[in-house]
Amino acid sequence: MARETCVLNTRRALCSSIGINAILFTVLLVLQYVQYDIKKDDDNSMQSVTEQFSATDQSKNYYSDLSVSNDTICVDCRYLGKNISAEETLYNRISISKNGSQMCCLEDKSLASLVRKVLKIGDGEKPIDKDSFSWWRQRPNSAHLYLKDLSRSQLHWTAIEETGSAFSKLPIVDQNKLVIKKTANYFVYAAVVFDFRTVIKIPQVYYNITSFLPVLPHLQPFVLMGKYGGSPFSEKRHTGYLCGISKFYKGHQISVSVNDHSFIDNTPYANFFGIFRL
């Protein structure tokens, strides 16, 4: 009796095992089919988008992570992930370039013309339509400057250049300080490009944005924001960027400082300093 019971239990276990394995195998087949179907749809979609990009953007000038046509700028945006859609960004569309890169494209003729001018591609040598940037330059209590040159102690900025993107609605003191005309909250920003390709060991540099109020001369310049750059893990050439919001009073002087100017890459348009009232 005990032997028959054992055989019966063994048969039941065997049948259960076979049934469970059959179910798992069926699920595996279904999942494999679904995965294949999804991959097929993705491939077809990717091929369609790639063909669309190739067909509509033949006139573009391509760089490794940038392409510019007469009225469109596309930048590499693989960092956003493959599942991002244009509706979730500020771009007009997302396409796939000829080399397989995911590109986010902004349709703006004025900006495209500016980029072509800066990069000196295509018709970049033609005079740019500066009126198209009047909205940018006519903002009150604002400025956007490019690095002109640098002395041993100061960075000298300029609001005069050929693209028309630089301007200043604020007084500039000593070529390196913007003077606030109206008390308010402002957004201030600065970008400095460092090039360490001439040295083996990358040194540490410090750069900041400071404010100073002349009516209170006993107070030292206040560091609004600062950052250390340069380490064994840094790229040989990289950009240091600072930005933030602060309340400034009339007469405040805003400036950018770098403790070592010898490693600043003074390529045109690479370094800039700006502010605008919120």
Side-chain angles (χ1 to χ4, degrees):
M1 185 67 178
R3 183 178 179 180
E4 292 177 353
T5 302
C6 181
V7 171
L8 182 60
N9 290 336
T10 301
R11 287 179 177 177
R12 288 175 177 173
L14 181 60
C15 290
S16 298
S17 177
I18 293 174
I20 292 173
N21 280 281
I23 293 173
L24 290 175
F25 183 71
T26 303
V27 171
L28 182 62
L29 286 178
V30 172
L31 290 175
Q32 187 70 20
Y33 175 78
V34 171
Q35 182 180 13
Y36 171 78
D37 200 38
I38 292 175
K39 185 177 184 300
K40 183 178 179 182
D41 289 342
D42 287 345
D43 290 342
N44 291 336
S45 177
M46 187 73 73
Q47 181 180 2
S48 175
V49 174
T50 303
E51 291 173 352
Q52 180 184 5
F53 188 90
S54 299
T56 58
D57 298 309
Q58 292 296 326
S59 62
K60 286 181 178 290
N61 290 269
Y62 287 93
Y63 289 76
S64 60
D65 56 358
L66 172 71
S67 63
V68 188
S69 67
N70 291 331
D71 57 2
T72 304
I73 306 170
C74 294
V75 295
D76 191 325
C77 59
R78 285 175 289 183
Y79 67 91
L80 294 177
K82 294 182 178 180
N83 297 324
I84 195 73
S85 64
E87 290 73 18
E88 299 175 272
T89 71
L90 297 177
Y91 296 98
N92 297 104
R93 58 186 172 88
I94 297 178
S95 306
I96 305 300
S97 69
K98 292 181 291 187
N99 63 1
S101 297
Q102 177 176 287
M103 308 292 284
C104 290
C105 301
L106 180 66
E107 297 172 0
D108 190 307
K109 188 174 181 179
S110 298
L111 289 178
S113 177
L114 173 63
V115 172
R116 292 172 69 87
K117 182 70 175 180
V118 171
L119 298 179
K120 296 183 178 180
I121 55 179
D123 58 355
E125 297 300 326
K126 296 180 180 180
I128 193 170
D129 180 14
K130 295 185 178 182
D131 290 338
S132 62
F133 287 99
S134 59
W135 63 271
W136 168 263
R137 296 192 308 273
Q138 296 305 320
R139 293 175 298 161
N141 301 292
S142 62
H144 182 80
L145 312 177
Y146 292 112
L147 185 62
K148 180 181 179 181
D149 55 53
L150 40 94
S151 65
R152 296 185 62 181
S153 59
Q154 291 183 343
L155 302 179
H156 294 159
W157 305 93
T158 181
I160 302 173
E161 46 76 49
E162 60 182 6
T163 69
S165 58
F167 73 98
S168 182
K169 294 296 183 181
L170 299 172
I172 303 175
V173 177
D174 298 331
Q175 299 184 71
N176 75 321
K177 302 180 185 71
L178 288 170
V179 182
I180 302 299
K181 295 194 298 184
K182 188 173 184 178
T183 300
N185 291 320
Y186 290 81
F187 182 83
V188 58
Y189 58 90
V192 180
V193 178
F194 297 99
D195 191 344
F196 301 106
R197 289 177 292 183
T198 58
V199 296
I200 298 176
K201 184 178 180 181
I202 299 177
Q204 191 174 70
V205 294
Y206 178 71
Y207 49 101
N208 59 36
I209 299 177
T210 61
S211 67
F212 175 66
L213 196 57
V215 295
L216 301 174
H218 60 284
L219 295 179
Q220 295 295 318
F222 179 75
V223 177
L224 297 171
M225 58 202 77
K227 187 176 182 181
Y228 284 96
S231 76
F233 308 102
S234 300
E235 295 290 336
K236 285 285 189 176
R237 186 176 187 275
H238 65 269
T239 301
Y241 184 73
L242 295 171
C243 68
I245 297 174
S246 181
K247 183 176 182 178
F248 296 127
Y249 293 89
K250 181 179 179 180
H252 249 131
Q253 297 182 358
I254 316 302
S255 63
V256 178
S257 300
V258 180
N259 71 331
D260 190 343
H261 294 176
S262 59
F263 297 104
I264 295 178
D265 182 351
N266 198 13
T267 300
Y269 308 105
N271 307 282
F272 53 86
F273 167 38
I275 190 171
F276 59 86
R277 179 189 170 195
L278 299 177

